[in-house]
Amino acid sequence: MSFCTAVLLAFLTASFTFASPSPPNGYHTVYQFEDGIFLENIAARSNGDLLFTSVVKPALILLDPHSSDPSPSVVFEFPNATGTSGITEVYPDVFAVLAGVWNASAATAEKGSLCLWTVDVGQSQPVGKKIACVPESTGLNGATTVEGAPGIVLVSDSRLGGIYRINIHTSEVALVLQDPLLEGTPDNAFGLGINGLRARGHKVYFANSAKKFFGSLKLTSTLQTVGSIKTIANVPDGSNFTAYDDFALDREGNAWITLHSHALVRVTPSGDQRIVLGGDSSTFLADPTSAAFGRGEKGGKETLYVVTGGIGISGGQVVALNT
């Protein structure tokens, strides 16, 4: 994810210099939101519907990408908030969502406003519940669940350079790691450090936007981090690429990472990297922010959905890519 705004996105509007192979089986725009709707993150429901967050809208937004005439709808609005960021499914059709009061131009949130909620979208009238707030944080960003740890959500803090563990049953909040390698730098991506976050097996994968690398950490059975941070891939030196954002992991362990300002890259577990969409002087992906694979019979597990901020063309895009 990125807490990008018009100011940040203007900063991230460089062209690219890499060769850009065509997508394997094509892509298309599913839907484009109205001007000013900057999409921050995405999750897929088991029935194939998509859910979106936005740092400029305090709502959880739903879209059926398979409809002949897709039309978004707000399924839940978060009180005392101006935007949303990370999202992850904790139980079937129950999603954990981060919401707070955002200062969009500064890419930071009001201290004390950031909270984790759960929203049960499987109900005829979706039900939201505030789980816990993190009073000291101004940058809660990515969110992920961990296999074998029901009810536990890991959350990245882009400003602190750390990872929190939140128990949705007890509301316990614990800082499990703070590390200089997870911090940002003031000269890139508005200083946002650890950004996108995904757990797989006994590892947690993450992108550091300002420091321009994709890495991983090992997790213990008690969800403590162990060992050193491993760098898997870097935003290439000497190019006009500016920052990794959020990403999706496929079944083979490849990471499909959104890359500002106009690209999607695939990184293998060994660190091999190639552009699969956008790049060069392409402006089709207008500041991509996150990605998720489809689900369900109509969702198609081989379809990757990419969301963007839409800066320079209108509102955020929802793009489907056949992988």
Side-chain angles (χ1 to χ4, degrees), residues 209-228:
S209 293
K211 291 184 175 176
K212 301 185 178 184
F213 77 94
F214 174 69
S216 67
L217 277 161
K218 291 183 179 180
L219 293 173
T220 68
S221 59
T222 58
L223 302 188
Q224 299 295 320
T225 57
V226 61
S228 58

PDB file of all heavy atoms in Angstrom, residues 209-228:
ATOM      1  N   SER A 209       9.197   0.895   1.038  1.00  0.00           N
ATOM      2  CA  SER A 209       9.066   1.829  -0.083  1.00  0.00           C
ATOM      3  C   SER A 209      10.251   2.778  -0.192  1.00  0.00           C
ATOM      4  O   SER A 209      10.856   2.912  -1.256  1.00  0.00           O
ATOM      5  CB  SER A 209       7.763   2.632   0.062  1.00  0.00           C
ATOM      6  OG  SER A 209       6.640   1.793  -0.089  1.00  0.00           O
ATOM      7  N   ALA A 210      10.590   3.465   0.895  1.00  0.00           N
ATOM      8  CA  ALA A 210      11.647   4.473   0.837  1.00  0.00           C
ATOM      9  C   ALA A 210      13.018   3.855   0.576  1.00  0.00           C
ATOM     10  O   ALA A 210      13.840   4.435  -0.145  1.00  0.00           O
ATOM     11  CB  ALA A 210      11.672   5.288   2.123  1.00  0.00           C
ATOM     12  N   LYS A 211      13.271   2.677   1.162  1.00  0.00           N
ATOM     13  CA  LYS A 211      14.582   2.038   0.984  1.00  0.00           C
ATOM     14  C   LYS A 211      14.628   1.109  -0.220  1.00  0.00           C
ATOM     15  O   LYS A 211      15.643   0.453  -0.470  1.00  0.00           O
ATOM     16  CB  LYS A 211      14.981   1.304   2.264  1.00  0.00           C
ATOM     17  CG  LYS A 211      15.296   2.280   3.400  1.00  0.00           C
ATOM     18  CD  LYS A 211      15.795   1.596   4.660  1.00  0.00           C
ATOM     19  CE  LYS A 211      16.200   2.654   5.690  1.00  0.00           C
ATOM     20  NZ  LYS A 211      16.598   2.053   6.980  1.00  0.00           N
ATOM     21  N   LYS A 212      13.514   1.012  -0.937  1.00  0.00           N
ATOM     22  CA  LYS A 212      13.470   0.389  -2.258  1.00  0.00           C
ATOM     23  C   LYS A 212      13.871  -1.083  -2.272  1.00  0.00           C
ATOM     24  O   LYS A 212      14.586  -1.534  -3.164  1.00  0.00           O
ATOM     25  CB  LYS A 212      14.369   1.155  -3.239  1.00  0.00           C
ATOM     26  CG  LYS A 212      13.995   2.603  -3.426  1.00  0.00           C
ATOM     27  CD  LYS A 212      14.860   3.251  -4.499  1.00  0.00           C
ATOM     28  CE  LYS A 212      14.473   4.693  -4.743  1.00  0.00           C
ATOM     29  NZ  LYS A 212      15.239   5.288  -5.848  1.00  0.00           N
ATOM     30  N   PHE A 213      13.394  -1.854  -1.282  1.00  0.00           N
ATOM     31  CA  PHE A 213      13.687  -3.280  -1.355  1.00  0.00           C
ATOM     32  C   PHE A 213      12.495  -4.116  -0.894  1.00  0.00           C
ATOM     33  O   PHE A 213      11.614  -3.642  -0.178  1.00  0.00           O
ATOM     34  CB  PHE A 213      14.949  -3.635  -0.557  1.00  0.00           C
ATOM     35  CG  PHE A 213      14.779  -3.696   0.945  1.00  0.00           C
ATOM     36  CD1 PHE A 213      14.513  -4.912   1.576  1.00  0.00           C
ATOM     37  CD2 PHE A 213      14.903  -2.556   1.727  1.00  0.00           C
ATOM     38  CE1 PHE A 213      14.377  -4.983   2.952  1.00  0.00           C
ATOM     39  CE2 PHE A 213      14.769  -2.620   3.107  1.00  0.00           C
ATOM     40  CZ  PHE A 213      14.505  -3.835   3.726  1.00  0.00           C
ATOM     41  N   PHE A 214      12.499  -5.368  -1.354  1.00  0.00           N
ATOM     42  CA  PHE A 214      11.512  -6.370  -0.986  1.00  0.00           C
ATOM     43  C   PHE A 214      12.234  -7.425  -0.181  1.00  0.00           C
ATOM     44  O   PHE A 214      13.284  -7.923  -0.595  1.00  0.00           O
ATOM     45  CB  PHE A 214      10.890  -6.973  -2.239  1.00  0.00           C
ATOM     46  CG  PHE A 214       9.945  -8.120  -1.984  1.00  0.00           C
ATOM     47  CD1 PHE A 214       8.728  -7.914  -1.359  1.00  0.00           C
ATOM     48  CD2 PHE A 214      10.281  -9.410  -2.383  1.00  0.00           C
ATOM     49  CE1 PHE A 214       7.856  -8.968  -1.126  1.00  0.00           C
ATOM     50  CE2 PHE A 214       9.414 -10.466  -2.162  1.00  0.00           C
ATOM     51  CZ  PHE A 214       8.196 -10.247  -1.523  1.00  0.00           C
ATOM     52  N   GLY A 215      11.695  -7.773   1.004  1.00  0.00           N
ATOM     53  CA  GLY A 215      12.414  -8.699   1.860  1.00  0.00           C
ATOM     54  C   GLY A 215      11.511  -9.625   2.639  1.00  0.00           C
ATOM     55  O   GLY A 215      10.289  -9.645   2.459  1.00  0.00           O
ATOM     56  N   SER A 216      12.130 -10.393   3.527  1.00  0.00           N
ATOM     57  CA  SER A 216      11.372 -11.353   4.326  1.00  0.00           C
ATOM     58  C   SER A 216      11.996 -11.503   5.703  1.00  0.00           C
ATOM     59  O   SER A 216      13.169 -11.172   5.924  1.00  0.00           O
ATOM     60  CB  SER A 216      11.302 -12.715   3.639  1.00  0.00           C
ATOM     61  OG  SER A 216      12.585 -13.327   3.587  1.00  0.00           O
ATOM     62  N   LEU A 217      11.178 -12.030   6.617  1.00  0.00           N
ATOM     63  CA  LEU A 217      11.590 -12.331   7.983  1.00  0.00           C
ATOM     64  C   LEU A 217      11.030 -13.689   8.369  1.00  0.00           C
ATOM     65  O   LEU A 217       9.929 -14.057   7.951  1.00  0.00           O
ATOM     66  CB  LEU A 217      11.026 -11.289   8.948  1.00  0.00           C
ATOM     67  CG  LEU A 217      11.775  -9.969   9.125  1.00  0.00           C
ATOM     68  CD1 LEU A 217      10.838  -8.943   9.735  1.00  0.00           C
ATOM     69  CD2 LEU A 217      12.989 -10.185  10.013  1.00  0.00           C
ATOM     70  N   LYS A 218      11.744 -14.422   9.182  1.00  0.00           N
ATOM     71  CA  LYS A 218      11.231 -15.686   9.693  1.00  0.00           C
ATOM     72  C   LYS A 218      10.398 -15.435  10.944  1.00  0.00           C
ATOM     73  O   LYS A 218      10.690 -14.536  11.734  1.00  0.00           O
ATOM     74  CB  LYS A 218      12.382 -16.648  10.001  1.00  0.00           C
ATOM     75  CG  LYS A 218      13.111 -17.158   8.761  1.00  0.00           C
ATOM     76  CD  LYS A 218      14.189 -18.163   9.132  1.00  0.00           C
ATOM     77  CE  LYS A 218      14.886 -18.686   7.892  1.00  0.00           C
ATOM     78  NZ  LYS A 218      15.956 -19.678   8.238  1.00  0.00           N
ATOM     79  N   LEU A 219       9.357 -16.261  11.110  1.00  0.00           N
ATOM     80  CA  LEU A 219       8.487 -16.173  12.277  1.00  0.00           C
ATOM     81  C   LEU A 219       8.575 -17.440  13.107  1.00  0.00           C
ATOM     82  O   LEU A 219       8.679 -18.542  12.559  1.00  0.00           O
ATOM     83  CB  LEU A 219       7.027 -15.986  11.843  1.00  0.00           C
ATOM     84  CG  LEU A 219       6.648 -14.675  11.151  1.00  0.00           C
ATOM     85  CD1 LEU A 219       5.212 -14.763  10.649  1.00  0.00           C
ATOM     86  CD2 LEU A 219       6.819 -13.501  12.091  1.00  0.00           C
ATOM     87  N   THR A 220       8.526 -17.294  14.426  1.00  0.00           N
ATOM     88  CA  THR A 220       8.456 -18.456  15.305  1.00  0.00           C
ATOM     89  C   THR A 220       7.003 -18.884  15.443  1.00  0.00           C
ATOM     90  O   THR A 220       6.082 -18.227  14.959  1.00  0.00           O
ATOM     91  CB  THR A 220       9.010 -18.116  16.699  1.00  0.00           C
ATOM     92  OG1 THR A 220       8.115 -17.176  17.333  1.00  0.00           O
ATOM     93  CG2 THR A 220      10.400 -17.519  16.599  1.00  0.00           C
ATOM     94  N   SER A 221       6.782 -19.995  16.129  1.00  0.00           N
ATOM     95  CA  SER A 221       5.415 -20.489  16.333  1.00  0.00           C
ATOM     96  C   SER A 221       4.582 -19.526  17.181  1.00  0.00           C
ATOM     97  O   SER A 221       3.354 -19.571  17.159  1.00  0.00           O
ATOM     98  CB  SER A 221       5.452 -21.871  16.995  1.00  0.00           C
ATOM     99  OG  SER A 221       6.131 -21.803  18.243  1.00  0.00           O
ATOM    100  N   THR A 222       5.251 -18.653  17.935  1.00  0.00           N
ATOM    101  CA  THR A 222       4.545 -17.663  18.759  1.00  0.00           C
ATOM    102  C   THR A 222       4.486 -16.300  18.063  1.00  0.00           C
ATOM    103  O   THR A 222       4.180 -15.288  18.686  1.00  0.00           O
ATOM    104  CB  THR A 222       5.222 -17.509  20.129  1.00  0.00           C
ATOM    105  OG1 THR A 222       6.590 -17.131  19.936  1.00  0.00           O
ATOM    106  CG2 THR A 222       5.162 -18.819  20.901  1.00  0.00           C
ATOM    107  N   LEU A 223       4.811 -16.301  16.760  1.00  0.00           N
ATOM    108  CA  LEU A 223       4.756 -15.098  15.925  1.00  0.00           C
ATOM    109  C   LEU A 223       5.746 -14.027  16.348  1.00  0.00           C
ATOM    110  O   LEU A 223       5.511 -12.827  16.177  1.00  0.00           O
ATOM    111  CB  LEU A 223       3.334 -14.524  15.877  1.00  0.00           C
ATOM    112  CG  LEU A 223       2.248 -15.476  15.357  1.00  0.00           C
ATOM    113  CD1 LEU A 223       0.934 -14.745  15.180  1.00  0.00           C
ATOM    114  CD2 LEU A 223       2.679 -16.124  14.056  1.00  0.00           C
ATOM    115  N   GLN A 224       6.863 -14.449  16.887  1.00  0.00           N
ATOM    116  CA  GLN A 224       7.983 -13.547  17.109  1.00  0.00           C
ATOM    117  C   GLN A 224       8.903 -13.642  15.886  1.00  0.00           C
ATOM    118  O   GLN A 224       9.008 -14.693  15.252  1.00  0.00           O
ATOM    119  CB  GLN A 224       8.751 -13.926  18.372  1.00  0.00           C
ATOM    120  CG  GLN A 224       7.934 -13.868  19.640  1.00  0.00           C
ATOM    121  CD  GLN A 224       7.473 -12.464  19.970  1.00  0.00           C
ATOM    122  OE1 GLN A 224       8.207 -11.499  19.806  1.00  0.00           O
ATOM    123  NE2 GLN A 224       6.235 -12.347  20.429  1.00  0.00           N
ATOM    124  N   THR A 225       9.540 -12.547  15.548  1.00  0.00           N
ATOM    125  CA  THR A 225      10.482 -12.591  14.438  1.00  0.00           C
ATOM    126  C   THR A 225      11.807 -13.157  14.940  1.00  0.00           C
ATOM    127  O   THR A 225      12.189 -12.972  16.104  1.00  0.00           O
ATOM    128  CB  THR A 225      10.697 -11.192  13.852  1.00  0.00           C
ATOM    129  OG1 THR A 225      11.144 -10.309  14.874  1.00  0.00           O
ATOM    130  CG2 THR A 225       9.403 -10.655  13.264  1.00  0.00           C
ATOM    131  N   VAL A 226      12.502 -13.852  14.059  1.00  0.00           N
ATOM    132  CA  VAL A 226      13.757 -14.474  14.443  1.00  0.00           C
ATOM    133  C   VAL A 226      14.737 -14.347  13.278  1.00  0.00           C
ATOM    134  O   VAL A 226      14.343 -14.401  12.107  1.00  0.00           O
ATOM    135  CB  VAL A 226      13.547 -15.962  14.827  1.00  0.00           C
ATOM    136  CG1 VAL A 226      13.004 -16.763  13.661  1.00  0.00           C
ATOM    137  CG2 VAL A 226      14.841 -16.576  15.345  1.00  0.00           C
ATOM    138  N   GLY A 227      15.998 -14.189  13.615  1.00  0.00           N
ATOM    139  CA  GLY A 227      17.009 -14.077  12.571  1.00  0.00           C
ATOM    140  C   GLY A 227      17.051 -12.688  11.970  1.00  0.00           C
ATOM    141  O   GLY A 227      16.417 -11.747  12.455  1.00  0.00           O
ATOM    142  N   SER A 228      17.806 -12.557  10.900  1.00  0.00           N
ATOM    143  CA  SER A 228      17.995 -11.257  10.264  1.00  0.00           C
ATOM    144  C   SER A 228      17.034 -11.077   9.096  1.00  0.00           C
ATOM    145  O   SER A 228      16.478 -12.044   8.558  1.00  0.00           O
ATOM    146  CB  SER A 228      19.440 -11.119   9.773  1.00  0.00           C
ATOM    147  OG  SER A 228      19.752 -12.159   8.862  1.00  0.00           O
TER     148      SER A 228
END
